[in-house]
């Protein structure tokens, strides 16, 4: 009987290292109230979104959503993260690509989802015009900070600005 | 078996190898059976699996066959490309387009009489544990981290402490240009592939803002085309690295970008190299690493000498440097670390009661555990949405959620990594 059960156990799928790591990362997230995850399919831990609602800084009042896609080679490969909205930010381009070092060139398997999320939030507290992805926004930020602040505020309400249509990202 | 094995042997065929096998030496294992016993095992019984029939695989197959292994299996999912022919010497021009495993197997069998090479053209993931159980040894000559992680985890999971044959030594070779490594993994005993995952050299990646704004290298232009432009232009189409049309589009896009920034050096083959992360393969590095791997396979199969403990690295970029060291097992390794626990419970026990049992156990000291099976989450403590979604399971009987002898993975911040439970039901 034991032999048969053993044989049956061998046939079954094993929990992959990536799965265990993601479960560990997610259940041990230590997020401030300004960040919230959402799982469109709660059974799928590999695809979800993160919404950041900064409570200070120039992006205060907005709710910014990022999609996370984790592949089976995690944590060797970093999660793929994109902003799902069109926003005006020096480090996020109009396609939603994000310039955050730990998402690409500085990713290491010892980092985890929490580090990525905290890194993303930091971009809203301290946008970095020295590593621009949206060059125009970065230029504005260094040259004319007041104008930049205005642009941030107005684009967060949505609508056209310099022939780009931005999404309304005001927190409800 | 011995008779069958020797029928194709001619006098003196293994003269040189027999020098090693006919008498013990100062470094031989006490269990070494000099003479016919060990020769019978090597030539008549040992069954060895080679994963990968590329640059390393061709060398490994040839070495094994010439060393006296006679029952060799080989798996490879690729077909032969013309660019392989400079170093993958089991293939000829006429073979381009054919499966590597099949062509390599035929070549070896034709060239080395009496050797059987059984090819499988496909993925290692197609095969189950029963398949891997038939081998005495596994040698990998792979170029993919993902495949290595898979076979490593599979072999580690196969180990049953009560069945010594379930432990399959894994010899892993790898090369990158002039650098290489060979290592011996005794699943569950020595450090495993996953233990050393954070030692891996990452492929060079450029900051996305450099690619977007300040390209200086032809590689920046190519990355711009593949990382930023492709998804923008073809929102719903995935880039296929193996499709020449896709590479062509990237090449042209990168070339225009390069012209705009007055950068020289974007070529079609560089484009392909960058997107496929091709590192020039050096035939001599492959030969050295394959030889090191096969040497270990021979020593393990025959016990004729102490085998590598456990990591050999070669750096041929400046002269020839090599270093051998023992890579240590990582306690928190998600594959071979962590604890496994056999748990016999009543079929009436609810999930909530199981969790209580776990938290009360002195020997594991677990707080707020999250549980899952390979196919579903049972109960997650966080984030709140997942806790809520899995909460209804708490009232259910474990026997409704987990099949007999099913695996449950437990994680908790108090555990170094995870705890694996194997559930049995008392009747």
């Amino acid at each position: 009987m034991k032999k048969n059960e053993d044989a049956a156990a061998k046939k079954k799928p094993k929990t992959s290292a990536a799965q265990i790591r993601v479960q560990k990362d997610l259940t041990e997230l230590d997020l401030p109230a300004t960040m919230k995850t959402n799982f469109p399919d709660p059974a799928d831990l590999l695809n979800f979104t993160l919404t950041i609602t900064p409570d200070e800084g120039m992006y205060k009042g907005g709710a910014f959503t990022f999609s996370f896609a984790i592949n089976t080679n995690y944590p060797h490969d970093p999660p793929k993260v994109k902003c799902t909205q069109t926003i005006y930010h020096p480090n996020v381009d109009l396609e939603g690509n994000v310039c955050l070092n730990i998402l690409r060139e500085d990713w290491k398997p010892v980092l985890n989802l929490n580090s990525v999320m905290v890194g993303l939030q930091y971009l809203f507290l301290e946008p970095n015009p020295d590593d621009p992805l949206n060059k125009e926004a970065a230029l504005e930020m260094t040259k004319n900070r007041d104008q930049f602040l205005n642009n941030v505020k107005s684009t967060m309400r949505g609508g056209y600005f310099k022939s780009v249509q931005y999404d309304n990202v005001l927190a409800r | 078996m011995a008779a069958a094995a020797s029928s194709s042997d001619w006098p003196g065929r293994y003269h040189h190898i027999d020098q090693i096998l006919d008498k013990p030496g100062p470094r031989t294992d006490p269990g070494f059976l000099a003479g016919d016993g060990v020769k019978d095992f090597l030539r008549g019984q040992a069954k060895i699996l080679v994963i990968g029939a590329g640059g390393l695989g061709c060398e490994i197959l040839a070495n094994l066959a010439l060393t006296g292994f006679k029952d060799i299996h080989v798996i490879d999912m690729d077909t032969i490309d013309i660019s392989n022919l400079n170093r993958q010497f089991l293939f000829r021009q006429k073979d381009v387009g054919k499966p590597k495993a099949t062509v390599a197997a035929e070549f070896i069998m034709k060239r080395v009489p009496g050797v059987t090479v059984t090819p499988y053209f496909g993925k290692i993931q197609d095969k189950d544990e029963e398949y891997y159980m038939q081998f005495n040894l596994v040698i990998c000559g792979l170029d993919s981290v993902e495949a290595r992680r898979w076979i490593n985890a599979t072999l580690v999971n196969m180990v049953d402490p009560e069945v010594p044959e379930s432990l399959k030594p894994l010899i892993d070779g790898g090369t990158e240009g002039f650098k290489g490594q060979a290592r011996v993994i005794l699943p569950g005993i020595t450090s495993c592939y996953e233990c050393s995952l954070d030692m891996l050299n990452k492929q060079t990646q450029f900051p996305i803002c450099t690619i977007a704004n300040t390209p200086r290298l032809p590689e920046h232009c190519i990355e711009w085309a593949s990382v930023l432009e492709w998804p923008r232009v073809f929102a719903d189409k995935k880039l296929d690295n193996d499709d020449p049309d896709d590479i062509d589009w990237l090449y042209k896009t990168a070339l225009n970008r390069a012209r705009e920034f007055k950068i020289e050096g974007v070529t079609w083959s560089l484009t392909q190299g960058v997107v496929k992360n091709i590192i020039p393969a050096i035939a001599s590095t492959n030969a050295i690493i394959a030889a090191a791997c096969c040497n270990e396979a021979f020593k393990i199969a025959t016990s004729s000498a102490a085998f590598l403990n456990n990591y050999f690295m070669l750096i041929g970029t400046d002269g020839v440097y090599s270093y051998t060291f023992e890579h240590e097992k990582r306690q928190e390794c998600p594959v071979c670390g962590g604890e496994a626990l056999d748990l016999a419970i009543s079929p009436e026990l609810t999930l909530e009661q199981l969790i209580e049992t776990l938290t009360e156990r002195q020997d594991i000291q677990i707080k707020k555990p999250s549980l899952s099976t390979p196919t579903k989450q049972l109960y997650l403590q966080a984030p709140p949405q997942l806790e809520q979604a899995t909460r209804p399971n708490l009232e259910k009987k474990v026997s409704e959620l987990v099949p007999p002898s099913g695996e449950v993975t437990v994680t908790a911040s108090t555990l170094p990594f995870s705890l694996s439970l194997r559930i049995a039901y008392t009747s």
Side-chain angles (χ1 to χ4, degrees):
Chain A
M1 187 56 200
K2 177 148 193 304
K3 275 281 168 235
N4 282 342
E5 276 182 19
D6 283 354
K10 300 259 150 79
K11 290 269 156 57
K12 280 183 206 113
K14 290 277 178 183
T15 313
S16 74
Q19 259 174 294
I20 306 177
R21 217 352 245 275
V22 171
Q23 174 176 325
K24 196 168 165 63
D25 277 16
L26 286 174
T27 51
E28 291 166 29
L29 281 179
D30 186 15
L31 296 179
T34 49
M35 286 195 269
K36 219 178 149 202
T37 51
N38 179 52
F39 294 79
D41 172 7
D44 178 7
L45 299 187
L46 302 181
N47 295 286
F48 57 90
T49 63
L50 171 76
T51 301
I52 304 177
T53 47
D55 58 0
E56 56 180 310
M58 48 191 113
Y59 287 92
K60 184 176 171 180
F64 304 94
T65 304
F66 293 85
S67 62
F68 278 65
I70 299 168
N71 69 22
T72 52
N73 216 11
Y74 184 79
H76 180 64
D77 291 351
K80 281 206 162 50
V81 176
K82 280 197 135 189
C83 183
T84 63
Q85 304 143 321
T86 309
I87 63 168
Y88 181 80
H89 191 293
N91 309 111
V92 181
D93 74 11
L94 301 175
E95 271 72 46
N97 296 302
V98 185
C99 186
L100 180 64
N101 63 336
I102 55 170
L103 281 177
R104 221 178 131 76
E105 69 273 13
D106 291 330
W107 170 257
K108 295 178 190 70
V110 293
L111 295 171
N112 57 27
L113 293 175
N114 208 77
S115 2
V116 170
M117 292 176 183
V118 170
L120 287 173
Q121 168 156 278
Y122 187 70
L123 287 182
F124 289 97
L125 303 177
E126 298 280 342
N128 173 8
D130 299 331
D131 289 333
L133 211 48
N134 180 339
K135 230 158 99 184
E136 264 181 60
L139 200 69
E140 198 73 72
M141 186 177 169
T142 31
K143 280 206 167 151
N144 189 347
R145 208 176 162 86
D146 288 344
Q147 183 60 47
F148 174 75
L149 281 174
N150 272 339
N151 295 350
V152 169
K153 289 281 172 254
S154 70
T155 52
M156 274 166 54
R157 286 194 291 269
Y160 280 92
F161 172 68
K162 285 191 181 168
S163 76
V164 174
Q165 193 188 356
Y166 289 91
D167 287 322
N168 180 341
V169 293
L170 293 180
R172 268 149 267 231
Chain B
M1 260 331 268
S6 56
S7 66
S8 60
D9 292 347
W10 51 88
R13 178 175 189 180
Y14 294 115
H15 174 75
H16 294 94
I17 286 167
D18 287 348
Q19 309 288 310
I20 301 166
L21 298 182
D22 275 334
K23 48 189 178 294
R27 298 264 289 151
T28 44
D29 188 271
F32 177 61
L33 301 165
D36 291 341
V38 65
K39 289 190 228 169
D40 273 359
F41 178 76
L42 177 66
R43 295 166 197 163
Q45 290 172 46
K47 202 170 186 179
I48 188 162
L49 173 67
V50 179
I51 301 181
L56 275 171
C58 283
E59 297 271 0
I60 290 171
L61 286 167
N63 291 349
L64 292 178
L66 294 170
T67 316
F69 285 92
K70 296 214 164 160
D71 190 356
I72 304 170
H73 290 236
V74 59
I75 303 187
D76 196 300
M77 61 183 281
D78 274 346
T79 53
I80 297 160
D81 186 83
I82 191 155
S83 65
N84 301 146
L85 301 184
N86 69 336
R87 61 190 187 287
Q88 299 179 20
F89 53 83
L90 302 178
F91 312 138
R92 298 291 177 268
Q93 190 114 32
K94 65 173 169 45
D95 301 321
V96 169
K98 292 184 196 163
K100 288 186 175 179
T102 322
V103 175
E106 279 164 15
F107 192 106
I108 295 284
M109 287 198 282
K110 208 171 107 195
R111 188 69 181 72
V112 191
V115 173
T116 309
V117 184
T118 312
Y120 175 70
F121 170 44
K123 298 174 74 163
I124 50 173
Q125 289 88 346
D126 299 344
K127 300 292 191 183
D128 58 9
E129 292 196 355
E130 203 180 327
Y131 171 84
Y132 291 105
M133 201 57 92
Q134 65 178 309
F135 302 104
N136 299 97
L137 261 175
V138 179
I139 300 194
C140 289
L142 285 163
D143 60 358
S144 133
V145 172
E146 204 168 345
R148 281 193 178 91
R149 286 179 75 189
W150 190 89
I151 188 69
N152 175 67
T154 302
L155 295 182
V156 171
N157 283 328
M158 265 164 58
V159 177
D160 178 346
E162 285 162 38
V163 185
E165 308 87 71
S166 67
L167 190 153
K168 312 291 178 191
L170 171 65
I171 301 167
D172 179 49
T175 69
E176 221 178 67
F178 285 105
K179 298 178 191 165
Q181 107 274 330
R183 61 193 292 191
V184 171
I185 295 168
L186 299 180
I189 296 175
T190 67
S191 91
C192 77
Y193 185 72
E194 194 83 17
C195 289
S196 60
L197 203 62
D198 51 10
M199 266 175 46
L200 282 178
N201 267 334
K202 279 188 315 152
Q203 70 180 91
T204 326
Q205 284 210 320
F206 306 107
I208 201 159
C209 21
T210 305
I211 299 170
N213 297 306
T214 49
R216 299 178 307 275
L217 300 171
E219 287 85 350
H220 293 156
C221 303
I222 296 165
E223 289 269 284
W224 178 79
S226 66
V227 177
L228 295 172
E229 276 304 273
W230 181 279
R232 198 178 65 80
V233 177
F234 307 103
D236 301 314
K237 196 172 146 233
K238 213 174 162 282
L239 177 68
D240 179 2
N241 287 343
D242 292 318
D243 186 338
D245 291 343
D246 287 9
I247 300 286
D248 211 51
W249 186 90
L250 293 179
Y251 164 61
K252 286 179 180 140
T253 310
L255 198 62
N256 285 333
R257 173 92 170 161
R259 283 202 191 108
E260 191 187 323
F261 286 88
K262 302 195 168 48
I263 296 166
E264 282 179 27
V266 173
T267 61
W268 203 92
S269 68
L270 184 72
T271 307
Q272 189 193 35
V274 169
V275 293
K276 293 181 81 171
N277 189 31
I278 296 177
I279 292 139
I282 312 279
S284 52
T285 313
N286 282 343
I288 296 167
I289 294 301
C293 290
C294 294
N295 198 22
E296 295 312 318
F298 178 79
K299 290 188 288 182
I300 292 172
T302 61
S303 310
S304 56
F307 56 85
L308 173 67
N309 181 29
N310 50 32
Y311 202 116
F312 163 80
M313 58 183 242
L314 167 79
I315 298 175
T317 40
D318 294 294
V320 182
Y321 173 78
S322 81
Y323 184 64
T324 299
F325 64 98
E326 182 179 347
H327 187 272
E328 285 183 27
K329 227 175 137 147
R330 216 159 51 92
Q331 271 303 305
E332 64 277 22
C333 172
V335 170
C336 75
E339 300 283 316
L341 199 65
D342 281 305
L343 210 59
I345 58 170
S346 152
E348 298 301 314
L349 198 77
T350 64
L351 185 64
E352 188 161 28
Q353 288 168 322
L354 172 69
I355 292 174
E356 263 169 48
T357 317
L358 287 175
T359 48
E360 280 163 11
R361 276 184 75 131
Q362 285 300 314
D363 54 342
I364 43 181
Q365 300 268 337
I366 207 168
K367 273 183 207 142
K368 291 190 134 205
S370 294
L371 284 72
S372 64
T373 70
T375 50
K376 58 179 178 287
Q377 286 86 48
L378 298 177
Y379 181 69
L380 301 185
Q381 301 275 355
Q385 185 199 353
L386 298 182
E387 193 278 331
Q388 220 164 41
T390 51
R391 200 185 301 157
N393 282 342
L394 288 175
E395 292 169 15
K396 293 187 189 159
K397 291 175 187 163
V398 180
S399 54
E400 294 167 31
L401 300 163
V402 184
S405 68
E407 185 195 299
V408 174
T409 301
V410 184
T411 62
S413 54
T414 47
L415 286 171
F417 199 81
S418 66
L419 170 73
S420 168
L421 301 178
R422 223 164 94 192
I423 307 285
Y425 298 105
T426 53
S427 38

